Amino acid sequence: MTNNSSPLHSLREGHWFKLICGASFQHLPAVKNLTLVYTLAGADCIDVAADPAVIAAAKEALDMALTFGEEAQRRGFGFKNLPLLMVSLNDGEDPHFRKAEFNATECPTECPRPCESICPAQAIVFDRLNNNFSGVLDQLCYGCGRCIPICPSDLIFTRAYVSTPEAVAPLVLQTSVDAVEIHTQVGRLADFQRLWGAIAPWLHQLKAIAISCPDGEGLINYLWSLYDLMKPLPCELIWQTDGRPMSGDIGTGTTHAAIKLGKKVLAAGLPGYVQLAGGTNSHTVTKLKAVDLLNGKFGDGATTLPENPRPQYLTETQTQNYIAGIAYGSFARVMLSPILDRLETAAPKTDSLSASLILPQQRVNLEDHPELLWQAVALADTLVSQIKSTVKSRLTTDEIEVSL
């Protein structure tokens, strides 16, 4: 990997962009393609499932990005250094860590199958490719849950899973990821502490720790309790404010929840950086500018908020008074679907549906189709450049060189 100072600089200066591939998303070709495309577009962090095969697919894409780095720069895209590679863990049940399931043989023959049309990941299929498979494609499902309430027969349920502390240390140690994100909820301090105990010995290997927590009664007190448990930290700390999980591709209004929660956490003066997620989409940056929550010294006339009060003993720890970055999940993935679907049409035919979903060597690589690759990067750039555009004019030639 190249020097990761650039992603951390983005975090500190307030133009951090994170791609969320999905804590439950295990479709290896898609993870590889998404990682490659958003890396070349200038993403600062790629967040993937804590699955060795998924991590390996993302790393393969990061290595591939180095071979396209100079071309990306010539085309005016934001690639400078490789992004941080982050894995997501959870200390208890969480909507990000689940899969949908149902028995297709129980579906009424007259059912209009609204589950199939509403699934943003195209994970629900019936008689796919004449392989007589009907149901949920496990590798594609990332647990958004939209199929559950829409099923007329109430047949769809979810299978949840929790990160075990015993598996965390080998994952961090052996795969050498750059960052870890912990999904938690108010009231789970003891569960968080058990998971944190497995991570703490390996903190020296990490560049960032992210805490993702939805809103709830007692949220700020809970986040302070987490900070007291974690301090002192040898790496950057990110508070991910998960407004409306996995809903960024639904409508323009979903971003309001993310901004509202971000403002709430900012006002608490917690040490570290606040990054939006959950409902983020193409309108998020515009709305942040409208309420002056981006870093004013890079903005187009925006001003920063006043300094937030914080306990005296924390004055040595960095805090920010603006949103440091934005994470995009379902919106970022779905917007590339038209191009990636075109890539799928070039995939070799196989008699095994499961093999075509699992084995990346049986899929067509995006990097082998330059026209589609650069179309995808250009599309991703329209999202990445929104938060990066405030600093593009300040970059010098030296600052955009890539270490190859």
Side-chain angles (χ1 to χ4, degrees):
M1 280 192 188
T2 57
N3 188 338
N4 277 325
S5 62
S6 179
L8 294 180
H9 177 78
S10 296
L11 180 68
R12 293 161 186 153
E13 297 297 338
H15 49 93
W16 162 273
F17 181 103
K18 183 173 88 169
L19 170 69
I20 302 175
C21 285
S24 296
F25 192 58
Q26 296 167 299
H27 189 238
L28 304 186
V31 169
K32 179 184 174 184
N33 290 333
L34 288 166
T35 299
L36 175 60
V37 169
Y38 278 96
T39 294
L40 293 176
D44 298 297
C45 182
I46 307 293
D47 185 1
V48 301
D51 178 319
V54 172
I55 295 170
K59 286 192 169 185
E60 183 181 353
L62 294 177
D63 290 340
M64 182 62 62
L66 292 177
T67 67
F68 290 97
E70 290 183 345
E71 177 66 16
Q73 289 181 8
R74 282 195 294 269
R75 291 173 178 263
F77 300 125
F79 178 62
K80 298 187 296 296
N81 288 297
L82 291 183
L84 303 187
L85 181 59
M86 175 182 285
V87 296
S88 285
L89 308 170
N90 60 327
D91 62 10
E93 286 197 15
D94 186 282
H96 298 87
F97 297 80
R98 64 181 183 179
K99 301 280 189 179
E101 288 187 9
F102 68 93
N103 184 350
T105 63
E106 299 178 357
C107 297
T109 56
E110 69 276 9
C111 181
R113 300 173 180 173
C115 59
E116 186 175 22
S117 59
I118 201 173
C119 178
Q122 300 178 321
I124 297 178
V125 298
F126 291 87
D127 194 22
R128 171 76 174 255
L129 300 178
N130 298 316
N131 281 286
N132 297 318
F133 175 87
S134 295
V136 179
L137 301 175
D138 202 63
Q139 295 87 355
L140 286 174
C141 177
Y142 58 83
C144 72
R146 298 176 202 175
C147 58
I148 299 173
I150 205 171
C151 176
S153 303
D154 197 26
L155 295 176
I156 305 177
F157 59 97
T158 58
R159 180 184 79 254
Y161 55 95
V162 179
S163 305
T164 60
E166 296 77 15
V168 170
L171 181 70
V172 174
L173 180 64
Q174 295 174 13
T175 62
S176 301
V177 297
D178 301 304
V180 168
E181 178 170 288
I182 303 175
H183 289 253
T184 186
Q185 293 183 24
V186 176
R188 294 213 298 238
L189 185 60
D191 297 320
F192 182 94
Q193 188 168 10
R194 281 192 290 272
L195 185 58
W196 183 253
I199 296 172
W202 312 109
L203 285 176
H204 63 283
Q205 297 183 191
L206 300 178
K207 296 179 175 66
I209 287 284
I211 305 299
S212 180
C213 189
D215 201 0
E217 186 177 355
L219 171 67
I220 300 304
N221 288 337
Y222 181 64
L223 297 184
W224 275 111
S225 297
L226 296 183
Y227 177 75
D228 288 338
L229 175 65
M230 294 185 293
K231 69 178 185 181
L233 284 172
C235 58
E236 303 292 4
L237 176 61
I238 301 168
W239 302 103
Q240 177 166 290
T241 56
D242 208 350
R244 286 186 58 184
M246 298 174 284
S247 64
D249 60 317
I250 293 177
T252 60
T254 59
T255 199
H256 288 295
I259 294 176
K260 180 179 178 181
L261 184 54
K263 291 173 68 175
K264 178 177 179 178
V265 176
L266 272 179
L270 287 152
Y273 302 88
V274 177
Q275 171 225 278
L276 302 188
T280 53
N281 52 40
S282 60
H283 302 277
T284 305
V285 169
T286 300
K287 294 184 183 300
L288 283 174
K289 287 181 177 180
V291 293
D292 291 343
L293 283 179
L294 289 179
N295 189 354
K297 69 179 180 179
F298 289 121
D300 47 1
T303 57
T304 56
L305 298 175
E307 284 291 336
N308 293 307
R310 60 187 188 271
Q312 196 63 34
Y313 72 96
L314 292 173
T315 54
E316 76 279 7
T317 307
Q318 180 70 31
T319 64
Q320 299 292 344
N321 51 23
Y322 48 82
I323 297 298
I326 305 172
Y328 298 86
S330 54
F331 182 83
R333 298 190 299 266
V334 170
M335 71 180 294
L336 291 189
S337 293
I339 294 176
L340 297 184
D341 286 347
R342 289 171 58 191
L343 182 69
E344 290 292 311
T345 63
K349 304 301 181 183
T350 174
D351 292 331
S352 171
L353 174 65
S354 59
S356 70
L357 288 169
I358 297 173
L359 299 178
Q361 64 267 29
Q362 294 188 345
R363 312 298 281 178
V364 173
N365 295 316
L366 184 57
E367 62 269 21
D368 294 333
H369 295 261
E371 181 181 356
L372 289 180
L373 171 63
W374 295 116
Q375 286 179 18
V377 176
L379 188 57
D381 180 71
T382 64
L383 186 61
V384 178
S385 63
Q386 288 186 9
I387 196 166
K388 299 292 186 180
S389 62
T390 54
V391 295
K392 276 187 176 180
S393 61
R394 299 172 61 93
L395 295 178
T396 65
T397 301
D398 292 338
E399 288 175 317
I400 62 173
E401 290 183 352
V402 179
S403 301
L404 296 174

